[in-house]
Amino acid sequence: MPTGLDCTQTMLYRRFGKTNLHLSVFSLGTMRYLADSENVQQTIATALALGINHIETARGYGKSEEYFGQAIKVGLSVARSQLYVTTKIPPTSDADSMRRYIDESLERLNLDYLDCLGIHGLNTWEHLEWVQAKGGCMKAVEEAINDGRIRHVGFSTHGSLEVIQAAINTDFFEFVNLHYYYFFQRNAPAIKLASEKDMGIFIISPADKGGKLYTAPQTLQDLCQPLSPLELNYRFLLSDQRITTLSVGPATPEELVEPLQVADSCGELTSAEITIFQRLQNHQESVLETDKCSQCYACLPCPENINIPEVLRLRNLAVAYNMTDYGQYRYGMFENAGHWFPGMKANRCTECGDCLPRCPEKLDIPNLLEDAHNRLNGRAGRRLWG
């Protein structure tokens, strides 16, 4: 571990569903550690020293696999049998492409086998058709499982709840990587379904996609006292025994220390923490009053393909907690990130009125969409690796 870094908490481990792997409750995500190979090696060394035993990368994360392979060559502080490695490969419509991708990833990672392969970005009904097709990408995955190059297979998703539940119900997969946080609980039914099927559950980007909580606005900080918003979100997730592990994606070794301060705080929510959550809810209701969207999704589908609930969720957070920076960050992804963040921006609304009779709260949706666009429209965003 680099000089000066310290984490006094004890890392805890949980069973990753039917894989029967026991993973650290924090996993090292590798989308952001790509400054250079030396930084990667230091970040991995620090993570291992702090008790992390699961590293997750992806074919689509720039040179992440290659840098990890270089770190393997230099040597790690733990035996290969004590380190679990996941890489993710996008779904393909044919087996040959998947065969080639698996071979390439193993070569870049300098590994003989993967502990886990995630089908990366199973986001659409078409992707699900590819997975279910005979002779499709899963044929190549099955071959790699049979010859020992892959031990376990799951999927990651940014898709709709309905697509996620359908993918879980294929019974092809042993684990799922998905979005679920205090400020985004839409996927709660998927968590329940995955748990019932004894799947490992990996939460994607709870600090960043969960609200940019590492740079939380003062309003939110004050409401979460004496915890930080980031700590509170970690406690919301770690108190749920169905969840195995949370992604932490540092750009430098130093960024590992703060999240791991709660690595042994995995018990039930305390009465003090429950009080904070109630305070947050009460504050949101008092500020938004009759303009609060409860995220029932009854307003969809929209003829203009506006993701109305997500737009209004971002507006809820911006108005109630001053999470405007986060709202602008996510809103800027609309029309710029394809199936990773689908939907048109709110200014596409034609005030057709289709959504109005479906809203149980009788919200003035066109007016709220206009307000959301005015608040949140800024610089266009994109995925870090497209």
Side-chain angles (χ1 to χ4, degrees):
M1 191 188 310
T3 304
L5 292 187
D6 178 45
C7 183
T8 58
Q9 308 305 95
T10 302
M11 181 64 68
L12 297 182
Y13 302 83
R14 287 179 175 172
R15 176 177 169 272
F16 197 38
K18 66 183 75 174
T19 71
N20 283 318
L21 304 176
H22 282 77
L23 304 188
S24 47
V25 294
F26 283 93
S27 293
L28 179 66
T30 61
M31 183 182 277
R32 294 180 62 239
Y33 75 172
L34 302 172
D36 54 62
S37 59
E38 182 179 352
N39 180 65
V40 171
Q41 291 170 24
Q42 290 180 352
T43 302
I44 292 174
T46 300
L48 297 177
L50 294 174
I52 289 177
N53 70 351
H54 178 225
I55 296 178
E56 188 224 31
T57 184
R59 173 183 176 86
Y61 291 173
K63 292 187 176 182
S64 176
E65 289 183 332
E66 180 182 330
Y67 283 154
F68 178 83
Q70 292 172 5
I72 288 282
K73 287 181 181 179
V74 171
L76 303 176
S77 60
V78 300
R80 172 68 179 96
S81 60
Q82 296 177 303
L83 176 66
Y84 303 115
V85 180
T86 296
T87 199
K88 304 191 298 295
I89 296 174
T92 63
S93 59
D94 64 287
D96 285 343
S97 294
M98 181 60 72
R99 289 189 189 99
R100 184 173 74 255
Y101 292 164
I102 292 170
D103 290 342
E104 290 172 355
S105 284
L106 285 168
E107 182 177 0
R108 283 194 292 263
L109 290 163
N110 197 32
L111 295 175
D112 296 325
Y113 69 92
L114 290 168
D115 299 280
C116 298
L117 171 71
I119 303 301
H120 191 195
L122 208 168
N123 297 338
T124 69
W125 293 110
E126 182 181 39
H127 294 157
L128 192 57
E129 289 174 5
W130 294 350
V131 163
Q132 294 177 299
K134 289 185 178 180
C137 59
M138 295 305 289
K139 184 175 189 293
V141 173
E142 289 173 12
E143 293 168 357
I145 291 172
N146 291 336
D147 65 26
R149 290 179 299 145
I150 293 173
R151 302 284 173 86
H152 306 283
V153 62
F155 72 98
S156 73
T157 180
H158 296 228
S160 69
L161 174 61
E162 294 76 18
V163 169
I164 298 171
Q165 290 173 310
I168 291 171
N169 278 323
T170 64
D171 293 323
F172 291 169
F173 303 108
E174 297 171 272
F175 64 90
V176 58
N177 302 7
L178 79 170
H179 294 283
Y180 175 71
Y181 325 105
Y182 174 71
F183 291 118
F184 178 76
Q185 298 182 41
R186 169 67 175 169
N187 288 335
I191 297 281
K192 181 176 184 294
L193 181 61
S195 177
E196 290 170 351
K197 290 181 175 288
D198 195 26
M199 294 174 68
I201 298 173
F202 179 112
I203 301 300
I204 300 169
S205 188
D208 186 63
K209 306 300 188 301
K212 289 190 75 173
L213 299 178
Y214 45 83
T215 55
Q218 192 63 48
T219 300
L220 186 58
Q221 293 182 46
D222 292 343
L223 288 165
C224 293
Q225 289 293 334
L227 299 182
S228 72
L230 184 56
E231 288 174 315
L232 193 67
N233 192 45
Y234 285 148
R235 283 291 296 128
F236 171 79
L237 296 168
L238 292 175
S239 66
D240 189 336
Q241 298 301 310
R242 302 171 300 176
I243 293 170
T244 307
T245 187
L246 316 180
S247 173
V248 55
T252 65
E254 290 75 16
E255 290 184 9
L256 278 166
V257 176
E258 182 180 0
L260 299 196
Q261 294 297 322
V262 297
D264 63 354
S265 300
C266 296
E268 293 183 359
L269 292 174
T270 66
S271 59
E273 290 165 344
I274 293 171
T275 297
I276 297 172
F277 287 120
Q278 189 62 55
R279 186 191 308 152
L280 286 166
Q281 182 177 333
N282 292 343
H283 181 81
Q284 185 183 66
E285 290 175 355
S286 67
V287 173
L288 288 166
E289 296 181 327
T290 58
D291 285 344
K292 178 178 177 288
C293 172
S294 64
Q295 300 288 283
C296 69
Y297 278 64
C299 55
L300 296 182
C302 168
E304 301 304 323
N305 197 30
I306 299 168
N307 188 340
I308 298 171
E310 180 64 8
V311 172
L312 297 188
R313 181 184 77 93
L314 297 176
R315 182 187 181 276
N316 283 352
L317 298 179
V319 174
Y321 306 124
N322 198 29
M323 294 172 67
T324 304
D325 184 48
Y326 168 69
Q328 291 175 343
Y329 158 54
R330 297 303 284 165
Y331 188 79
M333 303 290 283
F334 285 126
E335 305 183 27
N336 291 290
H339 59 75
W340 296 97
F341 200 68
M344 308 302 286
K345 291 189 174 181
N347 64 333
R348 304 282 187 170
C349 176
T350 62
E351 301 187 29
C352 69
D354 277 16
C355 58
L356 294 176
R358 297 199 297 267
C359 178
E361 295 155 315
K362 305 304 179 187
L363 297 177
D364 184 351
I365 293 175
N367 184 58
L368 293 177
L369 289 176
E370 181 181 8
D371 182 75
H373 183 77
N374 291 337
R375 290 175 183 272
L376 304 177
N377 191 46
R379 184 166 58 89
R382 64 177 183 86
R383 283 175 49 77
L384 184 57
W385 302 110

